[in-house]
Amino acid sequence: LAIDPKLYQAHSALAEIHISESQTAADDAAKKASLQSAVDELDHAIEIAPRNFNAWERKVEVLKAMGDEAGAAAAQKQLDELKAGH
């Protein structure tokens, strides 16, 4: 990322690492922190490649895992609009 910060695949990969870390977190605070880091990386990936449907879908899943139903619904709505071509 230091060489090419626009490499959305690297941000997606980092998100997956954070998601994996959340599954072995010692407590809820550590789990939420890892999941939030995953969302942040997915946001970077989406910013670089807005039509990256996989990143959008993963973001929805992570937000649901965090208990953020409103955030997940908003992300799902954006994804649906992108898929519809709006």
Side-chain angles (χ1 to χ4, degrees):
L1 287 173
I3 295 170
D4 185 359
K6 298 264 184 211
L7 193 62
Y8 72 89
Q9 298 94 331
H11 290 289
S12 294
L14 286 171
E16 291 303 320
I17 291 169
H18 291 303
I19 292 165
S20 180
E21 288 172 346
S22 77
Q23 295 169 350
T24 59
D27 55 37
D28 281 345
K31 180 178 181 174
K32 283 205 174 215
S34 290
L35 291 174
Q36 183 58 56
S37 293
V39 169
D40 294 343
E41 290 298 339
L42 290 166
D43 283 340
H44 286 301
I46 290 166
E47 180 181 328
I48 296 164
R51 295 189 59 80
N52 181 345
F53 298 147
N54 290 334
W56 278 104
E57 289 166 354
R58 197 64 164 139
K59 181 178 177 177
V60 170
E61 292 170 7
V62 173
L63 289 169
K64 285 180 180 178
M66 292 174 68
D68 184 356
E69 293 299 324
Q76 183 65 54
K77 182 178 181 207
Q78 288 179 285
L79 173 59
D80 293 342
E81 289 173 357
L82 279 173
K83 285 183 175 180
H86 296 111

